[in-house]
Amino acid sequence: MRNRSIYIAFLFLLFNSFFITAQSDKQKALEAKRVKYQKELKQLNALLFSNKKEEKSVISLVEDLNYKVSVRRNLIKVTNDQANLLTREINANQNEISSLRDQLTTLKKQYAEMVVKSYKNKSEQSRVMFLLSSEDFKQAYKRLQYIKQYADYQKEQGDLIKAKTKKLQELNTDLLRQKKDKEQLVAENRIAKKELEKELKEQEKLMATIQKSMSSYTTKIKKKQQEIDEIDREINRIIREAIAESNRKAGKSSSSKGFALTPESKLIAKNFASNKGKLPWPVERGVVKIRFGTQPSPIDRTVPIKSNGVRIATAKNTQVKAVFNGEVSRIIVVKNGNPIIMLRHGNYITIYRNLSKIYVKKGDKVTTNQVIGEVFTNGQGETILGFAIFKDAKPQNPANWIYKM
């Protein structure tokens, strides 16, 4: 019966340790997300909201504010999730503390009874008499074993009381820490919600201004997208030409949709592909203002914004770095746009758009993190780098390639 009780207690402790580990892992994951959103908000404030001298366009202000609101909401949500998880952990700890206290009370009572019983029979004479009164040697041996087992059990109970007491103290300490952590999270969330309220009011005010002449803003958004589409078509044309040229040189059909690769190019492409998700950012610090793919305009949600790459907001005079070893395939100068650098990495292409300075020329070999240019800053103080990755002529989502994008 005693062994069965120990087995049940062991199973309980084992299950509880698994539960605590799972909760702890989830809490760590949530904390990592919270830190990420806090860092992103800090960068947003530094890169998009710190320059009060230049007057941004209303469109840019709305885009920036929408982005900030979405990050703030993510921060509030993950902080809520953390607080809720802590509440569950606190409740679990309180239940375990209550259970341990009951066990401790029972153990102490049993131990006290054993001590009293042991005291009454503690004399060596009574133990000897207990053994000598045995009917035979076998019974005497069994009685001797019983005395030893009883003494061991007393010691075991004493050790168990010590262990339970220590566990209870640890849980109480942990509970106090959890309650303090939860109070801090709740306080932080209260501040974040107040900031969100301010941002939503500002957003509402800006949108009210836009609504007065929505058609005019919609026209501007469409015109800007047309200019971007025109540059995208030019980049696609140049990539297709480069693919055709590589196939002609290799004696293959110029209609092939992929680059003809030399053994060296194949190795570069293989190394590039093996670094998927680990490539460095093309700028020292920045936030992704426009993500890859098609998304509705924050001004007029009926107007789609298409992006073959990402647009990264960064600081003035920011230098642009190559994300991998490669060769300068082309320096592109387009109408209604700033210079573009095209780097080739086997059958992969990386594009760096909206530059003010170029530090490389066609045919140059570049290495990872080598400075190749500088990002252009417009009259409103916006410094936006357009960055794209292509596999042959097919655009890739940079977020899948660049580390933690």
Side-chain angles (χ1 to χ4, degrees):
M1 184 69 181
R2 187 166 65 86
N3 288 340
R4 186 169 175 271
S5 298
I6 292 169
Y7 178 69
I8 291 168
F10 172 75
L11 283 179
F12 171 77
L13 288 170
L14 189 65
F15 171 78
N16 195 53
S17 67
F18 279 134
F19 174 76
I20 290 167
T21 302
Q23 292 283 78
S24 177
D25 289 344
K26 194 171 181 182
Q27 194 66 265
K28 282 177 185 174
L30 287 170
E31 178 61 16
K33 278 187 180 180
R34 189 171 71 92
V35 169
K36 171 182 169 276
Y37 290 134
Q38 284 177 330
K39 185 181 176 182
E40 197 169 355
L41 273 174
K42 192 176 178 181
Q43 285 212 79
L44 274 170
N45 285 327
L47 298 173
L48 301 180
F49 295 91
S50 63
N51 202 337
K52 300 294 181 183
K53 291 179 182 178
E54 290 93 351
E55 280 296 321
K56 283 187 180 181
S57 67
V58 177
I59 292 173
S60 291
L61 281 171
V62 171
E63 286 175 350
D64 294 350
L65 200 53
N66 278 4
Y67 187 8
K68 193 176 181 181
V69 164
S70 70
V71 176
R72 182 86 64 193
R73 279 179 170 148
N74 286 336
L75 176 63
I76 289 168
K77 183 184 180 301
V78 80
T79 308
N80 269 337
D81 289 345
Q82 268 191 286
N84 291 336
L85 183 59
L86 271 174
T87 300
R88 290 195 292 274
E89 287 179 355
I90 287 166
N91 290 339
N93 257 3
Q94 284 176 330
N95 288 337
E96 193 173 352
I97 285 168
S98 178
S99 173
L100 277 172
R101 278 179 179 149
D102 290 344
Q103 290 174 43
L104 202 54
T105 302
T106 305
L107 279 171
K108 284 179 177 178
K109 185 182 176 184
Q110 289 174 350
Y111 190 72
E113 288 171 356
M114 280 193 301
V115 168
V116 171
K117 189 176 179 182
S118 178
Y119 180 79
K120 288 178 180 177
N121 302 301
K122 70 176 182 178
S123 70
E124 285 297 324
Q125 187 180 358
S126 59
R127 287 181 187 177
V128 171
M129 290 304 295
F130 177 63
L131 290 171
L132 291 176
S133 63
S134 303
E135 292 180 3
D136 53 34
F137 178 77
K138 188 176 179 181
Q139 191 181 58
Y141 178 75
K142 283 184 177 179
R143 287 184 176 185
L144 185 64
Q145 288 295 103
Y146 170 75
I147 292 169
K148 185 177 182 302
Q149 284 174 1
Y150 190 74
D152 289 344
Y153 183 63
Q154 276 185 305
K155 185 177 182 301
E156 185 184 294
Q157 289 294 93
D159 290 342
L160 199 56
I161 286 171
K162 285 180 186 177
K164 294 275 184 188
T165 304
K166 187 182 176 184
K167 176 71 174 171
L168 195 60
Q169 288 168 344
E170 287 171 355
L171 278 172
N172 277 322
T173 303
D174 198 37
L175 191 64
L176 289 171
R177 178 194 60 77
Q178 287 173 324
K179 284 180 177 178
K180 190 177 177 181
D181 288 348
K182 185 185 172 182
E183 284 169 9
Q184 187 180 335
L185 286 171
V186 170
E188 282 183 20
N189 233 13
R190 201 176 291 120
I191 294 167
K193 284 175 180 176
K194 283 181 181 177
E195 289 296 318
L196 181 63
E197 283 173 19
K198 287 181 193 174
E199 287 156 5
L200 288 171
K201 282 178 184 176
E202 192 179 342
Q203 189 181 50
E204 192 179 330
K205 193 177 173 182
L206 283 168
M207 287 307 295
T209 305
I210 286 170
Q211 288 296 336
K212 292 174 185 175
S213 50
M214 178 60 85
S215 59
S216 172
Y217 286 110
T218 300
T219 302
K220 285 179 184 177
I221 295 163
K222 285 180 178 177
K223 187 183 177 186
K224 187 178 178 182
Q225 185 60 45
Q226 284 169 2
E227 289 170 359
I228 290 167
D229 290 343
E230 192 177 328
I231 294 170
D232 284 342
R233 283 193 292 271
E234 179 63 11
I235 289 170
N236 286 332
R237 183 188 67 77
I238 290 168
I239 291 174
R240 286 195 302 271
E241 275 184 3
I243 289 171
E245 179 63 23
S246 74
N247 281 283
R248 273 196 299 272
K249 285 182 179 177
K252 296 180 180 180
S253 170
S254 59
S255 62
S256 175
K257 292 181 180 179
F259 281 99
L261 301 177
T262 63
E264 184 187 358
S265 298
K266 282 181 182 177
L267 183 61
I268 293 170
K270 185 181 177 182
N271 288 339
F272 188 92
S274 68
N275 279 277
K276 188 173 185 178
K278 297 180 283 186
L279 295 174
W281 280 62
V283 288
E284 194 66 39
R285 64 190 184 109
V287 290
V288 179
K289 192 172 174 182
I290 301 291
R291 293 202 167 268
F292 177 82
T294 302
Q295 49 233 285
S297 164
I299 307 295
D300 183 346
R301 300 192 72 79
T302 64
V303 178
I305 301 295
K306 186 187 174 187
S307 177
N308 279 344
V310 292
R311 293 174 218 169
I312 304 169
T314 186
K316 193 175 181 179
N317 301 322
T318 291
Q319 293 181 325
V320 181
K321 300 175 182 180
V323 299
F324 200 73
N325 300 336
E327 182 181 329
V328 180
S329 177
R330 190 85 174 262
I331 306 295
I332 307 168
V333 180
V334 292
K335 186 182 176 183
N336 298 322
N338 291 306
I340 299 165
I341 295 177
M342 182 185 291
L343 300 184
R344 186 177 161 192
H345 321 270
N347 64 327
Y348 289 93
I349 299 279
T350 53
I351 307 286
Y352 309 79
R353 293 164 65 156
N354 195 38
L355 305 179
S356 60
K357 294 177 183 177
I358 306 289
Y359 300 146
V360 290
K361 62 184 184 299
K362 185 179 177 180
D364 282 357
K365 300 284 186 182
V366 297
T367 55
T368 305
N369 283 324
Q370 180 180 327
V371 176
I372 58 174
E374 195 172 293
V375 190
F376 175 78
T377 301
N378 66 19
Q380 286 78 47
E382 293 178 301
T383 309
I384 309 288
L385 173 72
F387 176 75
I389 299 176
F390 286 79
K391 183 179 182 183
D392 295 313
K394 188 178 179 183
Q396 308 287 301
N397 185 352
N400 297 333
W401 290 85
I402 302 297
Y403 182 67
K404 288 187 176 180
M405 183 176 275

